[in-house]
Amino acid sequence: GSNVHVRVLSRDVANGVAFVLLSSNPPSSCISGSAQVQRLNPTNGAVASVAVRELTEGDTIRGVVGDDLEPTFCHVETIGNFGYGPVYGDYTDHHLLIDSSNKAIVPHGTRGNNMTDVDKYVILLGAAVGQPDEGCMAGMDANSNLYTPLDTDFCGPNVTLSFAQYKLLYKMILRTVRRSGSHWLQLASYTGRTVNGSDGIVRVQQWNEFTPKLCTSMLGCAASGVATSDAC
């Protein structure tokens, strides 16, 4: 079985209740804050490598656009911090990349350098430079890896997304973030629900307990093509 990580958040000694965070694994998504990406200076057109942790919303970095995954520069719609955790090279093992040779959506895995603990981020790219109606569905790091804003926790570890399904999810996530805010890509947004246990312990559910249902709903909504359908 997997290891269980327990963190006591607070205790109510008088009422004999403890609030704890239970997780079968640490949060697994994200890109290392040390990963290098290419950032465009909009003033002079210079391009420089910077660490992901140095990025802010509105920056312009290298990404890809369209079904042909054409390299271009893209605006950072939002960037979310997902705390610290293990990465293998520049990505966590479950972070989803696009294989440019066949457009497969694949987890990074444990390849790369030795595992290190580092600050982690999720990057959602918006419009391509000069193409306001075209969203950049993936970023391109300094090693030409194509990274998405998703990991296997979003739809579930046993779900393999097709390229077409990923495109639908990306478009819906981008539209949702633009309409309702960037909290969708912040870890704190998914750790607030509590469940009362029969043992007197109040468990705070993990974000990856909610997202597979969200993924299924979004794919069903997109497939229906009708915003007022039951799937939406």
Side-chain angles (χ1 to χ4, degrees):
S2 56
N3 295 327
V4 175
H5 301 264
V6 179
R7 179 162 60 92
V8 177
L9 301 180
S10 64
R11 295 183 183 275
D12 184 344
V13 178
N15 294 310
V17 175
F19 289 82
V20 302
L21 176 65
L22 296 185
S23 170
S24 59
N25 288 293
S28 57
S29 67
C30 308
I31 306 169
S32 165
S34 300
Q36 296 290 302
V37 296
Q38 302 294 307
R39 183 169 63 186
L40 175 69
N41 185 320
T43 302
N44 58 22
V47 177
S49 291
V50 298
V52 164
R53 66 172 61 93
E54 297 178 32
L55 296 176
T56 60
E57 292 182 8
D59 277 349
T60 304
I61 63 174
R62 182 73 74 178
V64 293
V65 67
D67 288 349
D68 294 331
L69 303 176
E70 179 184 353
T72 186
F73 280 97
C74 313
H75 299 295
V76 175
E77 190 74 24
T78 189
I79 180 168
N81 184 297
F82 272 61
Y84 281 77
V87 299
Y88 299 84
D90 288 331
Y91 300 90
T92 51
D93 54 346
H94 292 169
H95 198 82
L96 293 178
L97 307 180
I98 300 179
D99 185 336
S100 59
S101 68
N102 58 12
K103 299 181 185 177
I105 310 301
V106 295
H108 177 264
T110 56
R111 59 190 167 95
N113 300 326
N114 292 332
M115 185 189 75
T116 57
D117 282 322
V118 68
D119 50 327
K120 306 180 301 174
Y121 300 85
V122 168
I123 300 171
L124 177 67
L125 296 181
V129 172
Q131 303 178 70
D133 296 328
E134 285 289 340
C136 294
M137 67 182 72
M140 177 185 287
D141 67 20
N143 296 314
S144 297
N145 295 305
L146 303 183
Y147 58 88
T148 76
L150 302 178
D151 78 340
T152 57
D153 285 340
F154 187 74
C155 291
N158 298 318
V159 175
T160 300
L161 293 172
S162 68
F163 182 69
Q165 287 176 319
Y166 170 71
K167 284 199 305 178
L168 290 173
L169 283 177
Y170 162 75
K171 290 178 180 179
M172 294 190 73
I173 291 170
L174 179 60
R175 183 174 62 185
T176 299
V177 167
R178 284 177 171 173
R179 291 184 177 182
S180 60
S182 61
H183 59 275
W184 294 98
L185 295 182
Q186 299 294 336
L187 179 61
S189 300
Y190 300 94
T191 57
R193 183 179 176 184
T194 59
V195 177
N196 295 309
S198 58
D199 53 4
I201 294 179
V202 181
R203 292 169 172 81
V204 182
Q205 291 185 302
Q206 286 288 67
W207 67 282
N208 54 6
E209 296 179 60
F210 307 108
T211 51
K213 293 181 180 178
L214 178 62
C215 172
T216 300
S217 177
M218 293 176 76
L219 286 174
C221 177
S224 73
V226 181
T228 56
S229 69
D230 291 341
C232 297

